[in-house]
Amino acid sequence: MNKLQLKHRELKIISVIAASENISHAATVLGIAQANVSKYLADFESKVGLKVFDRTTRQLTLTPFGVALLPYINDMLDRNEQLNSFIADYKHEKRGKVTVYAPTGIIAYLSQHVIAKIQDIGGITLSLKTCNLERKAFYEGVDFPDDCDVLITYAHPKDESLVASFITKYAVMAFASPEYIKQHPINSPDELENHSCILIDSMMIDEANIWRFSSAGGKEMHDYRVTGNYVCDNTQSALALARNHLGIVFAPYASIQKDVQSGLLVPCFSEQHEWWLDLVAIFRKREYQPWRVQFILDAMLAEIRQQLTQTLQLSE
């Protein structure tokens, strides 16, 4: 049995005729001569050997075969449109939506220091969303949201088919206001159980958080159970409470440099007790994502890495 060679234009004409129920109206919609519309229809019916429409003097109605056929035609047309859109996304056409997820502190950093540096964004809509990690993500891997294009976070992905591009290592440390330290002196992580710590809701385990610190020599890691009167769902709120002398906060040093420089917050320990984490960008493989995503991803990573390089040069 010979396979039918169906052309996209034929299918489009059948679909428009069905919607218009009139050859003349269909010709107007399609922008082609009425005689050509009639010929395409006649050729199609001859090719398949079945009538698609019953004709009257004023309108066309679908035959039972036409009724059964139309959903297949429209589905093929939709798929073709999706294919064309997909291919267009890979071209250098800056249009469409790019969704970036990150923890609260990183989203704030991107908003303040990175996004404005992306030049010539074109018709791209950039959506920034918060995605704070659960503690188990450090051991099991982080979930990649369904609508996410780029996830910048502190853990590697649970889905091994995703790409995790390393950005930098950063230190998480304990900070408090000078007033809090003056009233509640502390020398080492072992004393945290006697202090009011500002907790993060996503890290709650039995009404507490587990904070991890290296030993003073940096050779071993130890977990400490901490409690307190305040629980926040993001780091920015926790930092605001710490600035108001309400307890100790566990936060990346890079995100509070200005607070430290201005004297609003200070490290809690004289010795170097810290937790080093990887900051990574997670995304789909290049061949599975639109060009607009790669454009935003490349621009963000280039800016972040440039700022990190400048920070290191200044600190030397």
Side-chain angles (χ1 to χ4, degrees):
M1 182 178 178
N2 294 330
K3 290 185 177 180
L4 292 173
Q5 298 297 321
L6 302 178
K7 298 178 181 178
H8 176 267
R9 185 156 195 169
E10 291 176 332
L11 300 179
K12 181 68 175 178
I13 288 173
I14 298 296
S15 178
V16 174
I17 293 173
S20 304
E21 298 182 343
N22 183 284
I23 294 286
S24 177
H25 292 168
T28 301
V29 171
L30 293 163
I32 60 178
Q34 181 174 334
N36 289 338
V37 175
S38 297
K39 186 177 186 306
Y40 271 110
L41 174 57
D43 289 346
F44 181 84
E45 290 180 328
S46 175
K47 186 186 298 184
V48 300
L50 291 165
K51 288 258 182 208
V52 180
F53 295 97
D54 285 325
R55 295 160 177 77
T56 65
T57 55
R58 294 189 175 182
Q59 69 178 33
L60 285 75
T61 58
L62 288 165
T63 63
F65 168 69
V67 171
L69 175 67
L70 189 62
Y72 288 97
I73 288 178
N74 288 335
D75 182 61
M76 289 184 68
L77 292 172
D78 287 343
R79 286 176 179 272
N80 188 71
E81 185 175 344
Q82 291 172 13
L83 177 60
N84 288 333
S85 297
F86 176 75
I87 293 172
D89 282 337
Y90 269 80
K91 298 179 181 178
H92 288 200
E93 296 176 2
K94 295 176 183 175
R95 60 183 179 84
K97 185 177 181 181
V98 177
T99 302
V100 177
Y101 276 83
T104 307
I106 300 298
I107 283 289
Y109 167 74
L110 293 175
S111 302
Q112 294 172 20
H113 304 291
V114 176
I115 300 304
K117 301 293 180 66
I118 300 177
Q119 301 296 318
D120 192 20
I121 198 170
I124 295 173
T125 300
L126 186 54
S127 175
L128 301 177
K129 295 189 176 183
T130 301
C131 181
N132 292 314
L133 291 184
E134 297 181 359
R135 178 175 168 76
K136 65 180 182 180
F138 292 105
Y139 308 101
E140 299 178 4
V142 62
D143 290 317
F144 194 77
D146 291 339
D147 64 334
C148 182
D149 292 307
V150 179
L151 172 61
I152 298 180
T153 189
Y154 311 130
H156 287 257
K158 185 181 295 183
D159 183 349
E160 295 182 355
S161 71
L162 296 169
V163 178
S165 178
F166 174 78
I167 300 174
T168 188
K169 282 187 173 292
Y170 68 98
V172 182
M173 303 168 62
F175 299 90
S177 69
E179 289 82 355
Y180 178 90
I181 296 296
K182 183 178 180 179
Q183 296 178 20
H184 312 280
I186 183 170
N187 295 305
S188 74
D190 295 320
E191 301 173 22
L192 283 169
E193 62 182 0
N194 301 320
H195 286 261
S196 173
C197 296
I198 301 168
L199 311 180
I200 300 297
D201 184 61
S202 61
M203 297 176 63
M204 293 296 289
I205 301 175
D206 297 330
E207 305 301 319
N209 276 187
I210 305 298
W211 290 359
R212 175 170 288 191
F213 292 95
S214 64
S215 60
K219 296 181 179 180
E220 298 179 0
M221 299 295 297
H222 299 282
D223 288 346
Y224 299 89
R225 185 179 186 275
V226 301
T227 59
N229 300 108
Y230 305 98
V231 181
C232 300
D233 67 355
N234 65 80
T235 304
Q236 295 303 307
S237 298
L239 289 172
L241 294 177
R243 294 182 196 110
N244 282 296
H245 329 305
L246 294 176
I248 298 172
V249 67
F250 194 47
Y253 178 78
S255 67
I256 60 168
Q257 287 183 11
K258 290 184 178 179
D259 286 324
V260 173
Q261 291 168 359
S262 63
L264 291 174
L265 295 174
V266 296
C268 290
F269 313 124
S270 57
E271 295 183 316
Q272 198 77 357
H273 294 283
E274 58 199 6
W275 183 13
W276 281 92
L277 295 175
D278 288 347
L279 184 66
V280 296
I282 300 172
F283 48 92
R284 298 178 185 88
K285 292 180 180 179
R286 185 183 294 265
E287 60 264 33
Y288 299 134
Q289 67 181 4
W291 182 85
R292 64 177 181 269
V293 175
Q294 199 65 45
F295 171 79
I296 293 296
L297 173 63
D298 290 345
M300 286 197 306
L301 292 185
E303 182 59 34
I304 292 170
R305 285 170 174 148
Q306 181 180 355
Q307 292 183 21
L308 288 170
T309 299
Q310 292 173 346
T311 300
L312 288 172
Q313 290 174 343
L314 291 172
S315 63
E316 291 176 353

